[in-house]
Amino acid sequence: MSAAINIIDKVPFFGGMFRVESNELNPVNAWPSLIAMTSFIWFAIAAILGISMPAIQFLDLGSNWYYQNITLHGAAMAFPFAFQLMAAMSLHRAGACLGKRADDIFVSLFYIFMNVGALLLTVAVLLGFHVTYTVMFPLPVVGVMTGQWSMFTLVLGFTGIALVLTSMIFIYPIKILRMSFFERTDSTLQVAERSMKDPGMIGMVMGVLVLLVAGTPLMLVAGSLLLHLYGIFPAAWIGWAANPIVFEFVFYIFAHNLMEAMAIMIIGAVYSTLPLCTADGSRKLYSDKIAILALWILLITSVTSFFHHFFTMYPALPSTFAYHGNIMSFATGIGGALTIFTILATIWKHGIIPTPALFLILGGFVMYILDGVSAIIISNVAWNFKLHGTMWAGGHAMVVLIAISALWMGVLYYHYPLMTNRTIDDSTARSCIKYFFISYIGLFYTFLAAGAAGMPRRNGAWESDWYIFGVFMLIFGVMLLYAFVLYFLSLRRSKALDY
Amino acid sequence: MIEFLYTNAWGAFIVLLMFQIPFLIVFFHIVNKKAFTDSAPSKTKPEKYSAYRYGWTVLVLVAFVVVNGASIKYMPTVVEANAATDKNVKDVEVTAVSWAFQFSENEFNVGETVRFKAKSTDTVHSFALHHPDGHLLFTMMLIPGAGSESALVHTFTEPGEYTVRCLEYCGIAHHAMKNTFTVN
Ligand code: HEM
Ligand SMILES: [Cu+2]
């Protein structure tokens, strides 16, 4: 029996969501189930930390708690939750569509690096390493010099980050590329055959290539710094990497493209799942060509739109780059517009069967588009100077992850029977979707309105003018947690399939 | 009206809704119809799809060009570039250091145009100028070693107490990094 199945069986509550029988499909469903289960455990912890943030402000518990919890919340939601959930589902899909095993050394290394790395970072943060998930280099080093946290926490935190980044930038992309192009096909595993011409497969390959290409420079810079911290590289070797401008640029080239890669992958997954839910059984998109064109536009335009993170450094960032970033950010919107068209035209042409899986996917897609609008607005140079550093920016970062996660959770609903031989509980799933969508809308507009009102993000001492936004964050945050609890229950209450 | 849209963050919020609300209406209408009232395949002719496709793409392109084109005049960077040779602009040096701002001057008059030239000496900070009513006039990111200091001009049109805050997280006393000055 697979080690993954053993672990799932031993985990209380969450294990019950992903119990997998021993069968011939284990190579494509056991590890993905374990990885998905683990991502939801991280979610549960991070959600409580999220809700704690407004609570800390109202109860006046102090800014240190705020900075600790925002660091843990942001890091856990982005990496071991959202990214890990995506990895779980895409490994399962790649396995079942292409007939490749998703239980080899790459998969277990991904799992270990991601989760051990996230745990080390968590310990460092609990010991005082409060740098937020964007690190804000050179803050980690300045913090040691000014006595905000210890050298030990810096080394521990960076080690954790390096493990997480290795899993995302190297191990996972290499595994997906191997499955797509190299490994031997095992036809017993290929239960949902697809070719590499399928928009879903193309989106997946584009996504992992972006991770690999945009992430490698960051790995070089962060790796050099880490080797210096370990005492292996002398200071003279790493001066270039310790330059804040170098670090910030390679960081955002990666971080921006990470979000875009996750978006391209999930749009690919929507393109491959939506046709399975058409009412006329045609299993076709309105047009594969336009779908693929949209993916290409998203890919090409997103690469250089990262300049929008630096508009407000004017004139250190020359205006040309600012305009370029502005235009490219809106150009991603053209990819978005074609995606909207393809999805609506498919629905119009073929009709749809209203299942919870499809509705969570469509709801997630709406969330993604609404968030995309907030993203392009803040990528306009004129508006950026009024919104950068406010809750608008923080809200967009958070909400794009919520949208992407919702989409993967819909895809998970769809493929759950194949993964576990059980069907989800329909009525629980329907109420989950209702609460999910309402709380999403609530959180989204609360953050954007707070940003428009000038509320600073990542601020450990909210001023009373801005408390009102905190009240709504608390209300809708609790509601979102409730929606997730319903999601968990819809899986726990699943029933065995009988053939 | 256009001026308000681009010079106040609530203007951005309004434009946001102008994009989002039509999308929501069309999306929910189509999904509702094809999931619940009439999920049979539609008889719409292929030519009609492609007409809609072109129409929609052109609409989006035009909207994007208009929204961005109209914004150029209001970009703080353009305003600053236009003021480059203006002798009446008062230069103010700002140094940001964890966790304080130092100004070379901190009293201004209504009608005065001030160029804030800011730099950081330790880690990433920002110089964010908040209007007395709380909304953000502009923010400048300050990365140490950026090569040149960040600089923008602002013409004060209303008296009151303005607050400068750091909006880039810079450590455990980040929230305390603020300062005020008066405009008479
Ligand atoms: C469960 C309800 C949730 C609540 C109440 C909540 C609340 C918050 C709050 C108060 C902040 C801090 C804003 C600031 O001071 O800048 C924040 C940031 C963030 N949240 Fe959430 N959140 C929730 C769920 C989520 C989810 C589901 C995700 C991702 C899937 C997420 C990802 C993030 C990220 C990435 C940040 C940015 C952290 C940073 O700026 O350093 N959150 N959230
Ligand atoms: Cu600061």
Side-chain angles (χ1 to χ4, degrees), chain A residues 116-168:
Chain A
V116 172
L119 275 176
L120 293 185
L121 178 61
T122 303
V123 174
V125 175
L126 293 174
L127 293 175
F129 190 58
H130 303 166
V131 294
T132 81
Y133 79 132
T134 55
V135 180
M136 305 304 295
F137 194 84
L139 178 64
V141 183
V142 173
V144 174
M145 296 185 318
T146 50
Q148 296 178 57
W149 42 78
S150 66
M151 188 67 184
F152 173 73
T153 63
L154 168 64
V155 175
L156 191 65
F158 266 35
T159 305
I161 292 171
L163 291 178
V164 170
L165 289 179
T166 307
S167 76
M168 293 170 28

Side-chain angles (χ1 to χ4, degrees), chain A residues 275-480:
Chain A
L276 308 178
C277 311
T278 46
D280 63 0
S282 62
R283 298 190 151 237
K284 276 210 185 75
L285 272 181
Y286 159 68
S287 156
D288 273 5
K289 276 194 192 135
I290 296 178
I292 293 168
L293 175 66
L295 290 174
W296 275 107
I297 294 178
L298 287 173
L299 176 73
I300 304 282
T301 55
S302 67
V303 176
T304 51
S305 53
F306 75 90
F307 283 118
H308 56 217
H309 290 273
F310 298 107
F311 291 167
T312 60
M313 298 175 61
Y314 175 83
L317 182 79
S319 293
T320 5
F321 291 132
Y323 299 143
H324 180 85
N326 184 337
I327 294 166
M328 285 305 143
S329 306
F330 272 77
T332 57
I334 304 287
L338 286 179
T339 308
I340 295 173
F341 185 85
T342 306
I343 288 179
L344 285 182
T346 305
I347 294 173
W348 188 260
K349 195 166 174 191
H350 302 291
I352 45 175
I353 310 164
T355 61
L358 182 60
F359 269 57
L360 191 47
I361 290 174
L362 292 177
F365 181 70
V366 171
M367 298 179 196
Y368 170 74
I369 295 297
L370 294 182
D371 173 73
V373 180
S374 79
I376 57 176
I377 296 267
I378 196 179
S379 296
N380 170 279
V381 175
W383 282 317
N384 188 266
F385 278 88
K386 301 186 188 310
L387 295 170
H388 193 98
T390 69
M391 283 290 190
W392 185 301
H396 154 57
M398 164 160 152
V399 156
V400 68
L401 287 172
I402 298 182
I404 289 173
S405 310
L407 280 158
W408 283 116
M409 287 159 69
V411 173
L412 192 141
Y413 266 170
Y414 189 86
H415 296 294
Y416 189 74
L418 183 62
M419 285 170 81
T420 63
N421 265 328
R422 293 194 307 276
T423 56
I424 59 164
D425 185 71
D426 233 63
S427 69
T428 320
R430 280 171 206 278
S431 37
C432 156
I433 293 166
K434 204 166 63 202
Y435 284 104
F436 201 148
F437 200 73
I438 298 171
S439 55
Y440 163 86
I441 293 286
L443 271 179
F444 181 50
Y445 287 105
T446 302
F447 272 83
L448 295 190
M455 182 177 183
R457 74 186 291 194
R458 298 177 178 156
N459 188 299
W462 294 350
E463 289 162 35
S464 50
D465 291 0
W466 289 312
Y467 266 18
I468 181 70
F469 299 111
V471 173
F472 287 107
M473 283 176 201
L474 202 57
I475 295 172
F476 290 115
V478 171
M479 196 190 271
L480 183 62

Side-chain angles (χ1 to χ4, degrees), chain A residues 63-64 67 130-132 136-139 142 148-149 244-245 248 279-280 286 290 309-310 312-316 319 323 326 330 333-334 337-338 340-341 344-345 347-352 354 359 362 365-366 369-370 373-374 376-377 380-383 385-390 392 437 444-445 448-449 452-454 456-461 463 466, chain B residues 5-13 15-17 19-20 23-24 26-28 30-31 33-36 39-42 44 49-50 52-53 56-57 60-61 64 67-68 71 74-78 80-81 98-99 122-124 130 134-141 143-146 148-152 165 167-175 178:
Chain A
S63 52
N64 253 324
Y67 295 137
H130 303 166
V131 294
T132 81
M136 305 304 295
F137 194 84
L139 178 64
V142 173
Q148 296 178 57
W149 42 78
I245 294 282
E248 287 290 320
D280 63 0
Y286 159 68
I290 296 178
H309 290 273
F310 298 107
T312 60
M313 298 175 61
Y314 175 83
S319 293
Y323 299 143
N326 184 337
F330 272 77
I334 304 287
L338 286 179
I340 295 173
F341 185 85
L344 285 182
I347 294 173
W348 188 260
K349 195 166 174 191
H350 302 291
I352 45 175
F359 269 57
L362 292 177
F365 181 70
V366 171
I369 295 297
L370 294 182
V373 180
S374 79
I376 57 176
I377 296 267
N380 170 279
V381 175
W383 282 317
F385 278 88
K386 301 186 188 310
L387 295 170
H388 193 98
T390 69
W392 185 301
F437 200 73
F444 181 50
Y445 287 105
L448 295 190
R457 74 186 291 194
R458 298 177 178 156
N459 188 299
E463 289 162 35
W466 289 312
Chain B
L5 292 181
Y6 289 106
T7 54
N8 189 300
W10 286 108
F13 197 83
V15 176
L16 173 94
L17 295 180
F19 276 110
Q20 289 176 334
F23 162 73
L24 279 176
V26 173
F27 198 93
F28 280 111
I30 291 182
V31 167
K33 176 156 194 256
K34 299 311 285 187
F36 301 110
S39 63
S42 79
T44 311
Y49 283 100
S50 60
Y52 272 114
R53 194 171 76 223
W56 165 240
T57 315
V60 171
L61 269 170
F64 284 3
V67 163
N68 287 294
S71 78
Y74 302 99
M75 292 179 179
T77 50
V78 172
E80 148 69 24
S98 303
W99 292 285
D122 48 15
T123 184
V124 183
H130 280 87
H135 82 265
L136 178 58
L137 292 168
F138 64 84
T139 175
M140 300 189 282
M141 181 164 33
I143 303 186
S148 61
E149 48 198 2
S150 295
L152 284 184
R165 291 190 177 82
L167 298 189
E168 299 292 337
Y169 176 70
C170 56
I172 56 173
H174 163 60
H175 51 280
K178 60 180 179 178

Side-chain angles (χ1 to χ4, degrees), chain A residues 212-264:
Chain A
L212 203 58
V213 172
T216 301
L218 178 63
M219 288 305 291
L220 292 175
V221 168
S224 306
L225 292 174
L226 191 61
L227 289 174
H228 173 63
L229 289 177
Y230 289 159
I232 300 172
F233 278 11
W237 291 11
I238 57 117
W240 63 280
N243 176 343
I245 294 282
V246 170
F247 193 99
E248 287 290 320
F249 271 75
V250 292
F251 181 85
Y252 275 106
I253 288 174
F254 169 67
H256 172 74
N257 281 299
L258 164 66
M259 297 293 167
E260 296 280 5
M262 289 172 72
I264 290 172

